Amino acid sequence: MGRNLAATGWAMITTGRRRHREGYHFATEVARKTARKLKIPFYESAIQCENSDRLKPALIIKEKPKEKNLILFDDIITTGTTASRTAELMEKEGYTVIIIIGIRNQ
């Protein structure tokens, strides 16, 4: 699937940063490198989380990707709520979302 992604309108995003808003962020770095390898755009600031609540994240779309197919990468350590809520938010906007999860990045 890799070499066909760029030709068929795919991009990569992550969930909005809840706690670590500055500096190194595991999910962001994995998504950036993966997008580069797949030759698809990575929208680092597509989603913003306006609180740090892992069960009720306040998510907003900051930058709408022009590609309608999205790979959402998240590094789930607990519930996965931020990833599922991000996917729901983007699907309501007409995007197709595939979630890829890296578990326990510690």
Side-chain angles (χ1 to χ4, degrees), residues 14-96:
T14 61
T15 61
R17 292 184 182 200
R18 286 183 297 107
R19 294 173 296 135
H20 307 291
R21 296 176 195 269
E22 302 287 328
Y24 180 82
H25 186 249
F26 178 79
T28 299
E29 293 309 312
V30 169
R32 182 187 328 281
K33 289 177 182 178
T34 302
R36 190 177 311 126
K37 278 189 129 183
L38 295 172
K39 296 182 171 67
I40 61 174
F42 169 52
Y43 292 85
E44 182 173 348
S45 56
I47 305 296
Q48 180 176 320
C49 191
E50 298 193 316
N51 64 9
S52 57
D53 189 329
R54 71 171 48 117
L55 298 176
K56 295 180 183 173
L59 302 168
I60 60 169
I61 300 172
K62 292 293 285 184
E63 180 181 9
K64 288 186 177 183
K66 64 180 180 179
E67 299 78 10
K68 286 301 194 178
N69 303 302
L70 303 174
I71 298 170
L72 167 62
F73 180 80
D74 195 18
D75 56 333
I76 293 177
I77 297 174
T78 54
T79 66
T81 302
T82 307
S84 60
R85 295 272 170 87
T86 299
E88 290 169 7
L89 179 65
M90 299 310 283
E91 287 167 351
K92 285 180 184 174
E93 293 290 321
Y95 292 90
T96 299

